[in-house]
Amino acid sequence: MPTETFEFQVEARQLLQLMIHSVYSNKDVFLRELVSNASDALDKLRLAALRDDGLDVDTSDLHIEIETDPGARTLTVRDNGIGMSYEEVGQLIGTIAHSGTAQFLKELQEAKDAAGAEGLIGQFGVGFYSGFMVADEMTLVTRRAGEDRGTRWSSRGEGTYTLETVDDAPQGTSVTLHLKPADPENQLHDYTSPWKIREIVKRYSDFITWPVRMTPDSEGEGEETPGPETLNSMKALWARSRDEVSDEEYHELYKHVGHDWRPPLETVRLQAEGTFEYQALLFLPEHAPHDLFTQGYRRGLQLYVKRVLIMDDCEALLPPYLRFVKGVVDAQDLSLNVSREILQQDRHIRMIQRRLTKKVLSTVKDLKAKDAERYATFWREFGAVVKEGLLSDTENRDAILAVASFASTHAEDEPTTLQQYVERMGDGQDDIYYMTGESRESIENSPHMEAFRAKGVEVLLLTDPVDEVWVDAVGEFEGKRLRSVAKGEVDLDAQGDGASGEEREKQGEEFAGLLGWMKEQLGDEVKDVRLSSRLTVSPACVVSDAHDLTPALESMYRAMGQEVPQTKRILELNPDHLLVKGLNQAYKDREDRSGLVDTAELLHGLAVLAEGGRPKEPGKFVRLVAERLERAL
């Protein structure tokens, strides 16, 4: 048949012009697309040979070959796969995408940035045409397996293409790109360079089933050209059974995807079959990265489609509180190069995320039950970030609580779970008590802990910033309320010997005048002044009202740029402390109480300091302390 010239449809011409004029910043993806197409052709040939015994084809050495010619400025990607007939070339190549081209153009033009535009390649079947980003002309020669004659397709991307029948075409498909001059400033690299070809194949196509080979140039005249070099490892460890893979191979893959020189703490495998097939190989690191809590931390798993890398950091595959997990997911039924926006809306991706999340949490639970030492390592490194899920992932909140552990006054070196805490609760105790702070030491030395220590009531010691928030979001565990020892009123009479109701009433009457006077004197700084049932040693402490924000939480919101009003605290006095008793007696004995104002301010300042805060006027507080010390000498 003679050579025939055809015109592209109008939309296809517009698409080609967009491709040619460098819409995409990462032009390397053209080679990924061509290698992926070649891999699909090899898969189809192997399947056709299995189904049709009469198909006379050789499948003993199926492979992909890349050939470069720096002198002619050409790059050829060749496979010995299924190939295409004349009609198929016209249908699959000539018209680009029968349906969706208009939608593709619309989304391409609406893409707000290069990254968003780049993600559209492949979505509408235009991966082959990405070659025009780097080439002035493309030629395709193909012959379908079982046919005698082949087809040549050629185009310069200027509105027309030619088709002709050829007699000497080998089985499979060969795509030759006549490359544009290299232009590094516009990310147009020298694609005849062997190192660049190696880099692209290693990055995007390392785990493709079939060997990707390249024959390097000879070193000089008269020297023998070396044999073909296989560029990809073909070791898709996630597709092989556990018995076929050594720990060393898993560790090497982890180092590759996790950019970590240490082996992982745990390896997690998952394979889903049925209507939507995918395989996952995840790793729990042994150490938290230094930037885990910074805004620019890059999270997400590597997403493959049929062993072709689609995205380096696909955030949609795991929730943010598992951002430290590394690994790969290989889906069989996704389109190549789908955008991040599409992934966020894809129901299959949401299904994968739910399954992977549950698998990671169940793995941590197994670690906790079977290997206390490795679990302790995991929780020490990642417990703070996992607890973020108690705020954002209500579906898995119970599973997160089941793997969480907390420091406690029950044991200095051994953390506890909420379940263990509940099992140890004494008769009459209805609440799970906790206190937040910067460190275990600062919490244990807090005045708020005195009565709990005296009565042997266990308190959880929470020192991560997220602890200030999740306890309010969770609220309770197995019907037991989570209650801060530094908020609201505390009554521990049910847990041991304490002041009777009659004694409390008597103390209230005895100190009523002092309490009212101090509230008046400190009115700008306190919400109330009352007697305390949580103090046994210290003279005073400040507490938050039951539903007020703590100072730490106020600071956290302000650090995030949110304006929150200053919350007044409640000053509690220890009626059994000599200082408080003496102040009360002085209040009763003196008609002129102006000399006691400084003492009241000192008492309040000491209470603020005891919880790690700072007095409103530090200079004045220091002066008052110095005067008192001077009088005592």
Side-chain angles (χ1 to χ4, degrees):
M1 295 179 62
T3 301
E4 295 185 83
T5 301
F6 300 88
E7 287 192 1
F8 288 114
Q9 53 186 302
V10 175
E11 292 164 347
R13 287 200 297 272
Q14 295 173 352
L15 174 61
L16 286 171
Q17 289 304 307
L18 287 170
M19 287 283 190
I20 292 168
H21 290 94
S22 305
V23 170
Y24 300 100
S25 59
N26 182 12
K27 298 176 174 61
D28 293 355
V29 297
F30 85 91
L31 187 55
R32 179 193 70 183
E33 296 294 324
L34 297 180
V35 171
S36 179
N37 289 347
S39 177
D40 287 343
L42 296 172
D43 288 336
K44 291 176 181 177
L45 179 63
R46 182 176 59 178
L47 183 61
L50 291 173
R51 289 179 173 176
D52 185 359
D53 295 335
L55 187 62
D56 184 19
V57 292
D58 180 10
T59 59
S60 61
D61 184 29
L62 299 180
H63 64 277
I64 301 164
E65 184 179 353
I66 299 177
E67 183 180 297
T68 60
D69 187 336
R73 296 284 304 157
T74 61
L75 169 70
T76 300
V77 179
R78 184 181 296 112
D79 68 74
N80 55 349
I82 191 70
M84 290 178 283
S85 66
Y86 186 93
E87 291 75 16
E88 287 173 329
V89 172
Q91 293 172 1
L92 301 176
I93 302 296
T95 57
I96 307 183
H98 303 279
S99 60
T101 305
Q103 180 65 20
F104 175 85
L105 286 168
K106 180 182 177 183
E107 295 198 18
L108 187 60
Q109 291 163 342
E110 291 177 354
K112 295 181 180 179
D113 52 34
E118 184 178 302
L120 294 173
I121 277 192
Q123 183 187 342
F124 295 95
V126 296
F128 171 80
Y129 279 84
S130 63
F132 280 110
M133 293 190 295
V134 301
D136 292 321
E137 182 179 355
M138 291 180 64
T139 301
L140 176 143
V141 177
T142 183
R143 177 169 67 84
R144 185 171 182 82
E147 295 188 356
D148 297 328
R149 307 180 76 185
T151 303
R152 177 184 286 112
W153 174 98
S154 183
S155 176
R156 296 186 60 85
E158 296 174 347
T160 63
Y161 61 92
T162 62
L163 276 178
E164 64 177 307
T165 301
V166 293
D167 295 325
D168 56 350
Q171 174 193 303
T173 300
S174 172
V175 180
T176 299
L177 290 80
H178 299 267
L179 297 168
K180 299 175 182 179
D183 184 3
E185 290 186 4
N186 291 317
Q187 305 298 312
L188 186 59
H189 304 288
D190 181 5
Y191 294 107
T192 65
S193 171
W195 74 264
K196 186 61 181 177
I197 300 300
R198 291 189 189 96
E199 177 195 12
I200 298 173
V201 172
K202 190 70 177 176
R203 174 173 174 78
Y204 291 110
S205 308
D206 193 46
F207 302 116
I208 279 181
T209 309
W210 311 105
V212 180
R213 299 171 183 164
M214 179 176 67
T215 303
D217 297 330
S218 61
E219 298 295 330
E221 292 185 12
E223 294 187 19
E224 184 178 347
T225 302
E229 172 189 0
T230 299
L231 304 181
N232 59 325
S233 71
M234 296 175 286
K235 291 184 177 180
L237 303 185
W238 55 85
R240 297 156 64 184
S241 67
R242 179 65 181 86
D243 298 337
E244 297 176 359
V245 185
S246 67
D247 289 339
E248 289 73 20
E249 287 179 300
Y250 279 138
H251 294 173
E252 285 302 316
L253 177 61
Y254 166 70
K255 292 175 184 178
H256 174 68
V257 301
H259 306 292
D260 190 358
W261 56 271
R262 294 162 292 210
L265 181 70
E266 183 67 9
T267 301
V268 184
R269 291 176 52 89
L270 184 64
Q271 181 164 338
E273 298 179 348
T275 55
F276 184 72
E277 296 185 4
Y278 63 92
Q279 297 156 325
L281 186 58
L282 311 181
F283 301 98
L284 305 183
E286 192 173 17
H287 297 277
H290 66 89
D291 56 347
L292 181 62
F293 291 96
T294 62
Q295 188 173 6
Y297 180 73
R298 292 189 65 181
R299 66 181 181 89
L301 305 176
Q302 287 190 350
L303 176 62
Y304 286 76
V305 173
K306 297 179 182 177
R307 303 192 186 183
V308 178
L309 179 63
I310 300 305
M311 203 173 294
D312 248 338
D313 48 353
C314 183
E315 299 178 354
L317 292 171
L318 280 175
Y321 69 91
L322 294 180
R323 57 184 175 271
F324 56 86
V325 177
K326 303 298 182 182
V328 301
V329 172
D330 190 355
Q332 303 303 309
D333 303 309
L334 288 177
S335 300
L336 282 177
N337 230 11
V338 289
S339 66
R340 294 181 186 273
E341 291 75 14
I342 291 174
L343 286 176
Q344 291 171 355
Q345 301 168 7
D346 191 285
R347 64 183 183 88
H348 291 132
I349 293 295
R350 292 198 299 270
M351 180 182 69
I352 293 176
Q353 187 198 80
R354 285 196 296 269
R355 183 84 182 276
L356 293 183
T357 301
K358 292 182 183 300
K359 182 65 175 179
V360 170
L361 293 176
S362 68
T363 299
V364 176
K365 186 176 181 181
D366 290 342
L367 266 183
K368 185 172 179 296
K370 300 174 183 177
D371 196 328
E373 185 175 346
R374 285 201 298 155
Y375 165 77
T377 298
F378 170 82
W379 195 254
R380 181 181 66 249
E381 296 291 324
F382 302 107
V385 65
V386 171
K387 285 186 286 187
E388 293 175 10
L390 294 171
L391 298 168
S392 59
D393 190 357
T394 54
E395 180 182 348
N396 291 299
R397 181 174 286 174
D398 290 342
I400 297 172
L401 288 175
V403 303
S405 58
F406 313 94
S408 161
T409 55
H410 175 71
E412 185 172 347
D413 300 323
E414 185 178 344
T416 186
T417 64
L418 293 183
Q419 182 64 50
Q420 292 169 333
Y421 182 104
V422 170
E423 292 171 357
R424 289 192 295 265
M425 285 172 62
D427 294 338
Q429 182 178 345
D430 297 322
D431 300 324
I432 298 173
Y433 292 107
Y434 70 88
M435 184 172 176
T436 59
E438 293 184 356
S439 66
R440 180 185 184 115
E441 184 179 10
S442 67
I443 296 175
E444 288 183 326
N445 291 328
S446 170
H448 302 101
M449 296 287 292
E450 292 175 1
F452 292 87
R453 186 183 302 111
K455 296 179 182 294
V457 177
E458 183 177 358
V459 178
L460 300 178
L461 311 176
L462 308 180
T463 56
D464 293 320
V466 69
D467 293 328
E468 293 281 353
V469 189
W470 74 258
V471 285
D472 288 331
V474 173
E476 63 173 38
F477 178 78
E478 292 193 353
K480 305 293 185 180
R481 182 174 54 156
L482 290 163
R483 187 170 179 188
S484 171
V485 304
K487 294 179 71 172
E489 295 194 55
V490 171
D491 184 3
L492 296 180
D493 289 350
Q495 278 80 55
D497 296 331
S500 65
E502 185 177 339
E503 290 173 333
R504 285 182 179 281
E505 187 176 345
K506 185 177 179 181
Q507 284 180 335
E509 294 174 357
E510 182 181 350
F511 285 86
L514 175 67
L515 298 177
W517 175 80
M518 287 188 67
K519 181 179 179 182
E520 182 180 345
Q521 297 302 317
L522 301 171
D524 292 337
E525 297 189 49
V526 299
K527 178 185 288 188
D528 195 10
V529 181
R530 68 191 182 200
L531 296 182
S532 177
S533 61
R534 73 185 88 213
L535 297 174
T536 61
V537 178
S538 300
C541 69
V542 285
V543 301
S544 299
D545 217 346
H547 302 293
D548 285 347
L549 295 179
T550 63
L553 200 52
E554 283 185 23
S555 299
M556 190 183 303
Y557 282 129
R558 291 193 182 101
M560 294 187 295
Q562 298 185 32
E563 289 297 327
V564 292
Q566 192 78 31
T567 304
K568 289 185 178 182
R569 314 290 300 291
I570 298 170
L571 177 64
E572 289 193 350
L573 304 181
N574 180 358
D576 297 320
H577 196 279
L578 291 178
L579 176 57
V580 177
K581 285 183 176 180
L583 180 59
N584 187 47
Q585 191 62 47
Y587 169 81
K588 291 180 178 179
D589 293 344
R590 300 181 189 180
E591 290 187 9
D592 180 10
R593 302 183 179 104
S594 58
L596 299 179
V597 174
D598 288 349
T599 305
E601 292 183 0
L602 276 173
L603 198 57
H604 176 255
L606 290 171
V608 172
L609 283 174
E611 71 157 6
R614 57 178 292 175
K616 185 177 181 181
E617 298 181 50
K620 181 180 180 181
F621 178 79
V622 170
R623 178 175 56 80
L624 291 176
V625 172
E627 290 175 357
R628 289 296 188 275
L629 291 174
E630 184 179 350
R631 293 177 194 174
L633 293 176

